[in-house]
Amino acid sequence: MCGICGILYPSGNKNVDRTILERMNRQIVHRGPDDEGFFVEGNVGLAMRRLSIIDIQTGHQPIANEDETFWIVFNGEIYNHAELRADLERQGHQYRTRSDTETIVHLYEQYGRDCVKYLRGMFAFAIWDRNRKTLFAARDRLGIKPFYYRFDGNEFLFGSEIKAILACPGVRAELSTGVLAEYLAFGYLAGPQTMFAGINKLLPGHTLEVDAS
């Protein structure tokens, strides 16, 4: 189990405060006691807590592609990463680690948003595309790995757990009364809403993309 979180100001008119990102990441330290990592650049910040399983020595995150135009934070395990790696290397991609995380970022470099079609495993990840100034996120088909987010029109926040989002200044833990009846009737929420107002979950098998528009 690992944990990821991040901040994006899509309009680019505000820079990420690293101390806030660090505060978010501390909320999920129990998900990854072995390592932590940060990528902060202008209006975007990515962070992760790692439980080292694959490529213990060199699998530090965030990880970038060869020219560092794409940066990823990832929670999960990709079962077919070895065969994907062989194919990507034949196409000219150069690896710096043995991790399954790096395979995802090269897949995105090669196929863009269609990269998820090639993945077999459990995953939640976010990729910052420096060229297009977009954040791309995806969640596995069964929803094994969690991905929560909040977007108020100016600030996009995400995390493996809601508590990471609640650690941000100005975010209040308010009950979403509109979904209370559904939760009391069925014991869960089928849609993207959560019990916290303004905080949604990315549904299983779904992706999202955030840009300046």
Side-chain angles (χ1 to χ4, degrees):
M1 182 172 67
C2 299
I4 63 175
C5 59
I7 305 170
L8 173 66
Y9 301 108
S11 64
N13 60 358
K14 185 177 180 179
N15 290 335
V16 169
D17 184 339
R18 183 185 171 109
T19 60
I20 295 175
L21 189 62
E22 290 173 346
R23 187 187 311 166
M24 293 174 66
N25 210 34
R26 283 197 297 271
Q27 296 299 312
I28 54 174
V29 65
H30 57 281
R31 299 184 67 91
D34 297 331
D35 191 19
E36 68 175 352
F38 299 89
F39 169 80
V40 180
E41 182 179 70
N43 65 321
V44 64
L46 308 175
M48 73 88 57
R49 294 293 321 187
R50 185 179 182 219
L51 176 65
S52 302
I53 298 176
I54 296 176
D55 192 12
I56 296 174
Q57 298 300 319
T58 63
H60 179 77
Q61 293 187 45
I63 289 176
N65 64 328
E66 301 94 330
D67 60 4
E68 299 188 347
T69 52
F70 308 112
W71 286 84
I72 185 173
V73 284
F74 161 66
N75 171 30
E77 184 176 355
I78 304 302
Y79 307 140
N80 62 333
H81 77 96
E83 61 188 81
L84 290 172
R85 175 180 179 134
D87 182 62
L88 288 164
E89 287 180 326
R90 283 193 294 268
Q91 297 184 71
H93 294 269
Q94 298 178 7
Y95 278 69
R96 289 179 293 212
T97 74
R98 303 298 304 180
S99 72
D100 51 353
T101 309
E102 191 175 1
T103 289
I104 303 173
V105 79
H106 288 301
L107 271 178
Y108 181 84
E109 182 182 13
Q110 185 69 32
Y111 301 111
R113 289 174 289 188
D114 286 340
C115 65
V116 292
K117 296 179 180 179
Y118 298 85
L119 297 174
R120 301 291 178 266
M122 50 183 178
F123 56 83
F125 64 81
I127 295 176
W128 172 242
D129 186 329
R130 269 177 160 173
N131 292 332
R132 299 173 57 231
K133 304 299 181 185
T134 60
L135 185 75
F136 175 77
R139 190 177 178 201
D140 65 77
R141 296 162 183 82
L142 296 180
I144 298 172
K145 294 302 180 180
F147 189 99
Y148 298 96
Y149 66 93
R150 179 181 187 271
F151 182 54
D152 63 3
N154 298 305
E155 178 185 59
F156 181 84
L157 307 169
F158 72 87
S160 295
E161 296 186 22
I162 291 175
K163 65 175 65 176
I165 297 173
L166 294 175
C168 292
V171 179
R172 298 176 60 186
E174 297 180 343
L175 177 66
S176 180
T177 56
V179 297
L180 183 58
E182 179 185 354
Y183 180 79
L184 291 176
F186 302 108
Y188 66 94
L189 299 177
Q193 299 88 356
T194 71
M195 294 302 297
F196 291 84
I199 299 178
N200 293 325
K201 58 180 179 288
L202 186 61
L203 291 175
H206 282 62
T207 65
L208 65 79
E209 190 173 72
V210 186
D211 59 25
S213 62

